[in-house]
Amino acid sequence: MDTGVTGRRIDIEAFDDGGLTSGSRGIHIYLPPGYDSGEERYRVVYLNDGQAWLSGVWDGPQLECDRTYERLFGTGRIHPAIFVAIDFRRDGRVR
C-alpha cells in the first residue's frame, strides 16, 4: 500500500567515533516526512545492527522499518520520529 508519504535518509558510510569503539561504522538517519518544514520536536529511535533495519542499505535481509513507518505515518496511526540505524562492524563483531 503506497500512501505517497516518504521521508528522507542520510547515509554516513564511515562515521568516526574518535576511538570510542573498534573503529568507524556506517550510520543511516531517517528523517520523517515534513522534517525540513518546521521546528517540531521528534522522538528518536536508535536501531542496532542498523544495516538490516532500513530498506536498500545492504544486500542481506532487510526489515524495511522505514517503509513500515511511512505506511503507519500515512494513516495517522503513529507519531513523527527520527530513526538512527547504526551498522555493526563485520570485522570486529563479538561472536
Side-chain angles (χ1 to χ4, degrees), residues 16-80:
D16 181 6
D17 65 8
L20 183 63
T21 64
S22 58
S24 65
R25 63 190 68 234
I27 295 185
H28 314 280
I29 303 164
Y30 173 86
L31 302 173
Y35 177 82
D36 295 318
S37 64
E39 296 183 18
E40 183 175 353
R41 294 176 60 103
Y42 294 89
R43 293 161 173 83
V44 179
V45 179
Y46 294 93
L47 306 165
N48 291 322
D49 292 349
Q51 71 288 345
W53 286 98
L54 302 179
S55 57
V57 172
W58 76 322
D59 57 357
Q62 297 177 21
L63 300 172
E64 297 186 341
C65 180
D66 48 345
R67 293 194 177 146
T68 301
Y69 167 79
E70 288 172 351
R71 283 193 300 274
L72 291 169
F73 182 78
T75 65
R77 296 169 49 190
I78 194 167
H79 294 285

